[in-house]
């Protein structure tokens, strides 16, 4: 009992410390309405995140720190705090940073003068030989020289975590008949390498070697503008493979997991999800005109129900099949600004399209992106 009280007291101490470290887009202090769940002790401090190992270049968060203040200190402008957040993607909610966690410090941005960069001696092109002398090659040197490829290098816009640890809005939710009903180890949550038991077997068509995606009905999604219920947020949890099938049950192994899975989680057939690839990204700036294509809303902040995100986060919009989007479509994220010009916040790419909604990754942002901000199709 004393140990339990001691742990609880430590957790409350960490919570009290971090509540002073909340960041708002305008630099004001504001408390998140949904503090992270599942505080755990990492080393000598408490945190809900999965912080990386600190390096010699890392900064250790101190009580009273905010991303806003640290951005002003490191980058010379507190409005650039999303760049600090983007370098530390293990922090899932910018409103909550925890003393003791490490931060990677971004480099200062390069400022180019209006007249353009000044060429240096190293940048000057090397003098070339006269054309006549260049043409006077020896006969034995006239073989065909290798030709450099003109195909542009492709940019991968999403990684496996973006694709397989995100979620979608399902309307209406139809529960799967195949579920997890038990596990070999006596613990609530099962992770990579653990053995689980499924609710169906050979009699229901389950065979050894079959692969499945574990999903969980996480929360109801309500449209931020219309306040209408849009469906159920379905979180991708893990990748499992059947080892053997019995008559009405099956034994499977968790190949990889985003979070721990447990009894009641549903299973769907496994499908590979390729990352969107592009040759180049069109520029985005605050003066860009509307594209004239479909517009929608950011309607959900993912499994942690984040109320604000930045570059690297995956969210959901109400731009779906009718909007003409597809995986790889590029979106402009903006905020209505009354009679003033709209605020261009950043750029996103569509990962999946699911009926009337889509799952998108914010590629970069100039400031905090919130639920209820707008999304416009930039390029289909």
């Amino acid at each position: 009992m004393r140990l339990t009280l001691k742990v609880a007291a430590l957790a409350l101490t960490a919570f009290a410390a971090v509540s002073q470290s909340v960041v708002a887009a305008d630099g004001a202090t504001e408390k998140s309405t949904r503090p992270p769940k599942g505080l755990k002790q990492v080393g000598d401090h408490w945190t809900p995140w999965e912080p990386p190992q600190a390096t010699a270049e890392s900064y250790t968060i101190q009580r009273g720190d905010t991303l806003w203040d640290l951005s002003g200190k490191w980058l010379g402008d507190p409005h650039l705090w999303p760049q600090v957040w983007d370098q530390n993607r293990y922090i899932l909610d910018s409103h909550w940073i925890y003393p003791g966690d490490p931060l990677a410090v971004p480099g200062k941005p390069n400022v180019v003068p209006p007249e353009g960069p000044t060429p240096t001696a190293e940048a000057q092109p090397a003098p070339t030989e006269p054309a006549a002398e260049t043409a006077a090659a020896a006969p034995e040197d006239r073989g065909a020289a290798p030709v450099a490829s003109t195909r542009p290098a492709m940019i991968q816009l999403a990684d496996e975590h973006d694709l397989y640890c995100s979620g979608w809005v399902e309307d209406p939710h139809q529960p799967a008949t195949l579920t997890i009903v038990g596990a070999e180890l006596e613990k609530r949550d099962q992770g990579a390498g653990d053995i689980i038991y499924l609710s169906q077997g050979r009699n229901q068509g389950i065979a050894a070697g079959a692969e499945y995606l574990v999903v969980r009905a996480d929360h109801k999604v309500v449209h931020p503008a219309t306040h209408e219920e849009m469906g159920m947020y379905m979180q991708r949890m893990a990748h499992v493979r059947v080892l053997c099938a019995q008559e009405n049950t099956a034994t499977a192994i968790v190949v990889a997991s985003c979070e721990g899975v447990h009894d009641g989680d549903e299973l769907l057939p496994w499908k590979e999800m390729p990352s969107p690839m592009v040759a180049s990204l069109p520029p985005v700036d605050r003066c860009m005109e509307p594209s004239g294509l479909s517009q929608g809303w950011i309607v959900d902040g993912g499994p942690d129900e984040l109320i604000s995100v930045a570059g690297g986060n995956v969210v959901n919009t109400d731009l779906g099949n009718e909007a003409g989007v597809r995986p790889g479509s590029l979106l402009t994220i903006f905020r209505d600004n009354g009679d003033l010009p709209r605020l261009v916040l950043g750029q996103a790419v569509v990962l999946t399209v699911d009926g009337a909604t889509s799952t998108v990754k914010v590629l970069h942002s100039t400031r905090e992106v919130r639920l209820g901000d707008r999304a416009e199709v930039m390029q289909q």
Side-chain angles (χ1 to χ4, degrees):
M1 180 66 178
R2 292 180 179 175
L3 178 60
T4 301
L5 291 175
K6 183 178 180 181
V7 171
L10 288 171
L12 288 174
T13 301
F15 180 85
V18 77
S19 65
Q20 304 302 317
S21 304
V22 179
V23 179
D26 58 0
T29 300
E30 98 181 3
K31 292 186 179 180
S32 172
T33 57
R34 298 186 64 89
K37 303 175 184 177
L39 281 174
K40 57 185 178 293
Q41 191 168 13
V42 177
D44 59 356
H45 70 285
W46 289 80
T47 179
W49 312 133
E50 298 291 342
Q53 188 69 32
T55 67
E57 292 77 26
S58 297
Y59 172 80
T60 301
I61 297 173
Q62 306 297 313
R63 181 171 181 174
D65 280 344
T66 65
L67 298 186
W68 174 272
D69 292 334
L70 292 174
S71 176
K73 176 181 177 181
W74 294 339
L75 304 178
D77 184 351
H79 290 91
L80 297 177
W81 69 265
Q83 296 187 22
V84 181
W85 191 14
D86 193 38
Q87 292 291 317
N88 298 276
R89 286 187 56 188
Y90 74 89
I91 300 174
L92 301 182
D93 187 341
S94 68
H95 290 80
W96 299 90
I97 61 175
Y98 286 73
D101 279 352
L103 287 179
V105 181
K108 288 189 175 182
N110 293 324
V111 179
V112 180
E115 63 273 13
T118 303
T120 62
E122 290 79 3
Q124 298 294 336
T128 58
E129 296 294 331
E133 294 185 16
T134 302
E140 58 271 19
D141 293 332
R142 293 176 181 174
V147 178
S149 173
T150 58
R151 183 178 180 179
M154 300 298 286
I155 304 172
Q156 179 176 316
L157 300 182
D159 58 26
E160 288 189 356
H161 186 274
D162 299 325
L163 296 165
Y164 297 109
C165 295
S166 56
W168 75 99
V169 181
E170 184 175 84
D171 181 35
H173 172 50
Q174 299 177 345
T177 57
L178 182 61
T179 62
I180 297 175
V181 293
E184 187 175 85
L185 298 179
E186 295 180 356
K187 58 179 183 176
R188 182 178 186 274
D189 292 325
Q190 311 297 319
D194 289 337
I195 302 299
I196 58 176
Y197 303 119
L198 311 184
S199 63
Q200 297 178 359
R202 290 193 301 268
N203 291 343
Q204 294 79 31
I206 306 299
E211 298 185 15
Y212 294 93
L213 171 70
V214 181
V215 300
R216 181 179 299 165
D218 192 82
H219 60 268
K220 293 181 179 179
V221 178
V222 178
H223 198 287
T226 66
H227 305 294
E228 296 179 355
E229 188 173 312
M230 299 182 65
M232 181 66 69
Y233 181 86
M234 302 299 298
Q235 169 67 16
R236 298 180 180 92
M237 302 296 298
H239 176 197
V240 304
R241 179 183 301 114
V242 176
L243 298 178
C244 53
Q246 298 80 42
E247 287 188 3
N248 295 303
T249 59
T251 304
I253 185 171
V254 180
V255 177
S257 65
C258 308
E259 295 184 30
V261 299
H262 54 67
D263 292 4
D265 285 342
E266 305 170 25
L267 287 88
L268 302 174
W270 177 262
K271 295 180 180 178
E272 296 291 337
M273 300 172 62
S275 169
M277 305 284 285
V278 297
S280 62
L281 287 171
V284 179
D285 63 69
R286 56 175 48 89
C287 294
M288 67 185 302
E289 296 293 330
S291 67
L293 300 175
S294 298
Q295 293 184 353
W297 305 78
I298 296 177
V299 298
D300 195 82
D304 294 297
E305 299 181 74
L306 301 178
I307 60 175
S308 60
V309 299
N313 286 118
V314 177
V315 296
N316 301 87
T317 78
D318 61 356
L319 293 169
N321 289 323
E322 291 187 0
V325 296
R326 57 177 180 76
S329 294
L330 296 178
L331 309 178
T332 299
I333 307 298
F334 69 96
R335 184 175 300 157
D336 289 326
N337 199 22
D339 295 331
L340 299 176
R342 67 181 187 172
L343 299 176
V344 177
L345 305 177
Q347 187 180 55
V349 62
V350 175
L351 302 181
T352 65
V353 180
D354 308 283
T357 62
S358 58
T359 302
V360 309
K361 177 183 178 180
V362 181
L363 297 176
H364 58 82
S365 61
T366 58
R367 58 187 299 174
E368 189 176 55
V369 177
R370 307 168 186 162
L371 290 186
D373 282 338
R374 307 299 305 278
E376 177 185 68
V377 180
M378 174 196 300
Q379 189 179 93
Q380 291 179 324

